[in-house]
Structure formats: structure tokens, C-alpha cells
Amino acid sequence: MKKQPSAKVRSKYRDIVVIGASAGGVAALLELVKTLPTDFPAPVFIVQHVGAHSPSILPELLSRVTPLAVKHADDGEKFAAGTIYVAQPDHHLLLEAGAVLVKRGPKENRFRPSIDALFRSAAYGYGSRVIGVVLTGYLDDGTSGLWSVQRLGGLTVVQDPHDAEVPDMPANALEFVQADYVVPLAEISALLVRLTLEAPAAKPRVSKAELDLLGIELKIAKADNAFKLGIIERGQLTSFTCPECHGALTQLIEGKLIRYRCHTGHAYTASALLGEVTQKVEGFLYQAMRGLEEVHMLTSKLGQHFTQKKQPAVAALFNRKAEESGAQAIQIHQAIMRQESLSGDLQFEIKKSD
């Protein structure tokens, strides 16, 4: 192995490693970190999607297989090489000025912690010193952040989708980012060792508008007021509203990737927005079906009551209303089944047609 660079010249090397994982990620992370050497010359920052109220034992699990120090990140602490920092549940993990930030900013793609938020903060603060890694998982959190890493000169590593337990997240990343390395999980550790011993590329030319937007998004993730920061003016205002808070959505373009942010700060890729909207529609349809079924039950009971009271004309009226509401409930149920199919399949339609 090459001689490790001294701490005094670490900025001359790629010395920031950010990793994102979701479904299947715990096993993948255990496999990855167990072969990192004791003298690994960079800090490692990990976002693994977990439930907001679920206790995270990931640092404990990783500590059992790696010689590196592993811990949940604490807000404001200075980070150090050879330490693995894991995002806390329901908090974004961000990097700024040599320290980790742990904040409850708005969710991105329905997640907090967000892989995109971590990757963007690393790209904004450390540019070509960053190595971004996307591992197994559903949906597409990490795609936008990886694009930012590459846009600001960092290196991008994506687990080969054929090697991933859940291929969606790496496959989505590759759809929008021409990754520098697409490798199976077993090769990523050695690749990271090699890349951290290389000098970063020259700083790319990035427009002031792009940097300003990244800076605003970092502030939003830190829980600053998105409306006052003017996020709505940084893109193209749409007629859509945020599924989370019903705020106005503005459209942002990153290469081929379309994203949306609302004026309160929630962020979505197009596919995440579609998934959230269709889920809301499904909920409304179930409410409509429930209401019609209640009407059916009530009018049926009233029809029975007036039949027993020897009032056939009134009974016939309620029985007819019961039949109508029952038929409408069946139609809504059929619409729900079609809506569920749309929600599950549409995000893959483009890939199937390629």
C-alpha cells in the first residue's frame, strides 16, 4: 500500500466518503466496512434509511466487523479520518466546515435522513475531495445528490444493480449520472482505499446560480426557512402542490433529472412525487368507498325498517338508494385497484420502453 498522506496535507487528497443505502443496506454496509483498513485515511459518512421512531443499532453492528471507530453523528462535532459517522433516525446528516451537522430539516423524497441532503452538503463544502457511493435500495434517493457530487468534481461510485439485493436505487442513479465506477459490493472497499490515496481532479467551473441553489438547499436541510430563502424563485413555479403540506412546488432541473421543492422545503424527484400523489389519491378513494358503503348500510337498514312498518313505497325508495350506493362503492373499489397498479408500475414504464 502507498504511504498514507499526513493530516497536514489531507486536503490534497480525496478525503470525504459519503455513502447512501436503503433496503438491503445493513447487510451491504457490513460487507463494505469489514475490509476497510485500520489506517483508512478519510472519514466515512453513512445515511441508511430507517424508520423515524425506530432505534438505530447500526453503529453497534458495524463496530463488530470493522477496526474503525463507528458512532452516531453528534451535531457540531468535528469529524476525523478513520471514523464512520452514521445518521441518526429522523435527522439529516450534513457536513459543513469540518464538522457534522444533525438537523431536522424538511424531508426529501419522504425521507429524513436523506441521502441527497448528505451528498449535496459534501459536494457544496468539499467539491472534488468527495467520493459518493450509492448502494442497494428502493426508489431514487441519492440520485440528485450523486449528480451534485459529480457536478462539483467529486467521484461517483454505484453498486452494480445486478449485484444489489434491491437494484432500484443504484439503477435510478445510473439513469441520470454517468458514474465513474460501477462495481459489485465486494470491490467497493478496495476501490475506496485506492481513491483516497489519489489527488482530486481540478475544480470544475460551476455557475454562481448553481452554487447559490446548493447553498440554499443546504440551509433548508439545516431547518432554515425555505420561503424566506427564496427557494420558490429558484426554479419554474408549477401548478402542483406538495403532498406533504400542500405548498406550491417549484421545478428544478439537474441535467436530465427533474426535481421539485415546495416553499416550506419538502423535496421530491419526479418519481417520488408521483408515488406520494398516487398514495394520497388512493387514500381519498378509500374514503369515498367507505362513505358509499356507509350510505349503503344505512339505506338498507331503513329499507328493512319501512318494510316491517308496512310502508312499501318508502321502503322501495331506500332500497333503490341502497342498490345505487352499493354499485357506486364497487366502481370506486375497481378504481382503487387500477390506481394501485398505476402507483406501482408507472415509474418503471420508461425503463421498459427503452
Side-chain angles (χ1 to χ4, degrees), residues 47 49 93-94 108-109 113-122 140-148 214 254 257 259 261 267-269:
V47 166
H49 289 158
L93 171 60
L94 310 168
E108 294 203 25
N109 295 322
S114 162
I115 301 169
D116 284 335
L118 169 62
F119 283 19
R120 278 194 218 103
S121 72
D140 59 359
D141 191 23
T143 296
S144 171
L146 198 69
W147 186 89
S148 293
L214 273 175
E254 294 173 336
L257 181 66
R259 292 196 297 121
R261 267 206 190 265
Y268 304 89
T269 59

Side-chain angles (χ1 to χ4, degrees), residues 290 292-302 322 325:
R290 182 211 65 203
L292 287 167
E293 288 175 342
E294 289 177 353
V295 170
H296 173 76
M297 289 187 290
L298 177 59
T299 51
S300 293
K301 288 291 185 182
L302 290 171
S325 59

Side-chain angles (χ1 to χ4, degrees), residues 60-96:
E60 178 183 343
L61 295 175
L62 297 180
S63 294
R64 295 175 183 176
V65 299
T66 179
L68 302 181
V70 188
K71 67 187 302 292
H72 275 128
D74 293 319
D75 187 42
E77 71 172 308
K78 297 295 183 180
F79 56 74
T83 301
I84 299 173
Y85 300 89
V86 178
Q88 297 185 25
D90 201 32
H91 289 76
H92 292 313
L93 171 60
L94 310 168
L95 309 183
E96 186 177 72

Side-chain angles (χ1 to χ4, degrees), residues 72-219:
H72 275 128
D74 293 319
D75 187 42
E77 71 172 308
K78 297 295 183 180
F79 56 74
T83 301
I84 299 173
Y85 300 89
V86 178
Q88 297 185 25
D90 201 32
H91 289 76
H92 292 313
L93 171 60
L94 310 168
L95 309 183
E96 186 177 72
V100 289
L101 305 180
V102 179
K103 303 295 184 182
R104 290 194 77 252
K107 293 179 181 179
E108 294 203 25
N109 295 322
R110 297 176 285 174
F111 292 113
R112 187 174 52 225
S114 162
I115 301 169
D116 284 335
L118 169 62
F119 283 19
R120 278 194 218 103
S121 72
Y124 183 75
Y126 299 94
S128 57
R129 293 164 57 185
V130 178
I131 304 169
V133 183
V134 170
L135 301 178
T136 174
Y138 289 114
L139 303 176
D140 59 359
D141 191 23
T143 296
S144 171
L146 198 69
W147 186 89
S148 293
V149 167
Q150 188 170 73
R151 181 72 184 92
L152 272 73
L155 287 180
T156 54
V157 179
V158 176
Q159 182 181 4
D160 187 336
H162 298 95
D163 176 69
E165 180 177 336
V166 180
D168 303 34
M169 210 160 78
N172 278 312
L174 292 175
E175 184 175 348
F176 296 98
V177 179
Q178 189 172 350
D180 297 295
Y181 299 91
V182 181
V183 294
L185 180 65
E187 298 180 15
I188 293 178
S189 177
L191 176 62
L192 292 178
V193 171
R194 177 168 65 83
L195 294 179
T196 54
L197 296 175
E198 297 177 355
K203 183 178 179 181
R205 297 185 63 179
V206 180
S207 70
K208 183 179 183 301
E210 289 179 273
L211 290 174
D212 287 347
L213 176 58
L214 273 175
I216 288 174
E217 295 202 273
L218 176 56
K219 290 179 180 179

Side-chain angles (χ1 to χ4, degrees), residues 231-244:
I231 188 60
I232 207 73
E233 301 168 0
R234 292 289 173 165
Q236 180 181 349
L237 188 62
T238 74
S239 57
F240 312 133
T241 57
C242 173
E244 183 81 11

Side-chain angles (χ1 to χ4, degrees), residues 235-306:
Q236 180 181 349
L237 188 62
T238 74
S239 57
F240 312 133
T241 57
C242 173
E244 183 81 11
C245 68
H246 307 295
L249 285 172
T250 191
Q251 179 178 287
L252 305 170
I253 304 294
E254 294 173 336
K256 299 185 296 179
L257 181 66
I258 300 174
R259 292 196 297 121
Y260 299 90
R261 267 206 190 265
C262 75
H263 64 73
T264 67
H266 299 113
Y268 304 89
T269 59
S271 60
L273 180 61
L274 173 64
E276 190 74 1
V277 169
T278 52
Q279 186 176 10
K280 295 287 185 182
V281 170
E282 182 182 314
F284 293 145
L285 288 172
Y286 269 112
Q287 291 178 32
M289 184 176 74
R290 182 211 65 203
L292 287 167
E293 288 175 342
E294 289 177 353
V295 170
H296 173 76
M297 289 187 290
L298 177 59
T299 51
S300 293
K301 288 291 185 182
L302 290 171
Q304 294 171 11
H305 171 79
F306 286 107

